[in-house]
């Protein structure tokens, strides 16, 4: 027997349907997990319930101590994550976003959009579709603010796919890497693919607008 309906409803409302571990809004792709497993006498109470996305639920529930890979979520860590996230939801008025609302960032006539390529516990990869450098960079911080509310920016650097993979690239892809610290003190690196608004040779609209525009036209029509 699982959690009663009122317990599930309360935990989903209190967490705004976000995962308490990775802090991402998951909508219907969130589960109410027993902090202390039922097999060990864990009750179906609010105090023993935590909202987790499918990925984090799997990490919390399917761990083989005989073949350990990574570090299992401890019960104390789950309790702390739950408490901290619910407090953040209350203090920052975090709400369940509209399902049909696609995240965008706009400055005047230009709008940037996103493609989330990899989302994991320690690293995310997000492609930003923008033309000019100011809109692209603004879009990075807009995505972080909306995806991980309340986090702190710790570090930022530029790197390339060639550098990461140690392979020679005819046309390299640039990443703006931003490290954040979450409310539960975990750190995560966001790799923003900025190749849409930074072309080969680190040419951008901010450094050399004419050359950047010429490169863009060449991409479109060659």
């Amino acid at each position: 027997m699982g959690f009663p309906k009122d317990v599930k409803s309360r935990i989903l409302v209190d967490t705004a349907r976000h995962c308490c571990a990775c802090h991402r809004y998951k909508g219907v792709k969130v589960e109410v997990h027993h902090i202390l497993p039922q097999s060990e006498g864990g009750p179906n109470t609010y105090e023993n319930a935590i909202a987790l996305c499918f990925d984090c639920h799997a990490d919390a529930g399917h761990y083989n101590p005989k073949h350990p890979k990574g570090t299992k979520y401890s019960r104390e860590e789950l309790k702390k994550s739950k408490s901290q996230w619910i407090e953040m939801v209350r203090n920052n008025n975090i709400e369940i976003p509209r399902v049909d609302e696609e995240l965008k960032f706009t400055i005047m006539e230009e709008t940037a959009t996103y493609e989330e390529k990899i989302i994991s516990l320690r690293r995310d990869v997000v492609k930003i579709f923008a033309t000019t450098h100011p809109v692209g960079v603004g879009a990075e911080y807009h995505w972080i603010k909306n995806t991980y509310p309340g986090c702190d920016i710790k570090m930022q650097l530029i790197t390339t796919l060639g550098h990461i993979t140690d392979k020679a690239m005819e046309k390299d892809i640039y990443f703006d890497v931003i490290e954040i610290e979450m409310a539960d003190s975990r750190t995560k690196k966001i790799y923003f693919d900025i190749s849409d608004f930074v072309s080969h040779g680190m040419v951008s609209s901010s450094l050399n607008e004419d050359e950047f525009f010429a490169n863009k036209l060449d991409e479109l029509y060659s």
Side-chain angles (χ1 to χ4, degrees):
M1 183 177 178
F3 291 102
K5 186 176 180 180
D6 62 325
V7 171
K8 280 188 173 182
S9 297
R10 183 182 169 193
I11 195 73
L12 292 174
V13 169
D14 286 353
T15 60
R17 284 188 173 266
H18 287 64
C19 175
C20 291
C22 67
H23 300 174
R24 290 180 53 76
Y25 170 71
K26 300 305 292 185
V28 298
K29 297 179 181 179
V30 67
E31 299 178 301
V32 181
H33 173 74
H34 289 82
I35 296 174
L36 178 65
Q38 284 184 293
S39 60
E40 297 180 28
N44 295 314
T45 60
Y46 178 86
E47 291 71 24
N48 194 43
I50 183 171
L52 296 174
C53 68
F54 293 168
D55 290 338
C56 292
H57 193 183
D59 289 340
H62 300 94
Y63 178 85
N64 187 347
K66 295 181 181 179
H67 302 285
K69 291 184 179 180
T71 304
K72 177 184 178 182
Y73 283 119
S74 68
R75 292 164 192 168
E76 292 73 20
E77 185 179 5
L78 290 175
K79 289 178 182 178
K80 184 178 179 181
S81 295
K82 171 187 173 182
S83 176
Q84 288 179 332
W85 177 247
I86 290 176
E87 184 178 358
M88 279 190 63
V89 170
R90 291 171 180 165
N91 293 342
N92 294 279
N93 296 316
I94 296 171
E95 299 178 350
I96 297 174
R98 290 173 49 192
V99 176
D100 61 346
E101 186 176 343
E102 180 185 2
L103 186 62
K104 298 178 181 179
F105 179 73
T106 300
I107 296 180
M108 301 180 73
E109 298 89 356
E110 185 179 346
T111 297
T113 58
Y114 309 88
E115 181 184 351
E116 297 176 354
K117 292 182 173 291
I118 298 175
I119 302 296
S120 66
L121 287 176
R122 301 301 179 193
R123 289 177 172 84
D124 297 344
V125 179
V126 181
K127 166 74 173 177
I128 294 183
F129 297 95
T131 300
T132 58
H133 192 265
V135 175
V137 172
E140 296 177 25
Y141 289 95
H142 182 69
W143 186 90
I144 290 173
K145 179 182 176 181
N146 281 271
T147 307
Y148 300 111
C151 72
D152 292 324
I153 306 295
K154 306 302 292 183
M155 177 274 292
Q156 183 172 1
L157 60 84
I158 299 289
T159 188
T160 66
L161 182 60
H163 179 76
I164 295 170
T165 61
D166 196 25
K167 294 181 179 179
M169 299 283 176
E170 183 177 345
K171 187 176 182 181
D172 221 336
I173 296 175
Y174 290 89
F175 291 95
D176 196 359
V177 184
I178 299 179
E179 184 177 59
I180 61 173
E181 182 174 345
M182 317 278 273
D184 58 5
S185 300
R186 288 187 298 117
T187 58
K188 169 178 272 202
K189 289 182 179 179
I190 319 295
Y191 287 73
F192 287 107
D193 177 350
I194 59 175
S195 53
D196 228 38
F197 58 93
V198 175
S199 60
H200 188 63
M202 279 297 289
V203 177
S204 75
S205 63
S206 295
L207 297 176
N208 190 324
E209 186 172 357
D210 290 338
E211 183 179 356
F212 177 79
F213 186 63
N215 289 342
K216 277 293 180 184
L217 289 178
D218 186 52
E219 290 176 10
L220 286 171
Y221 295 105
S222 62

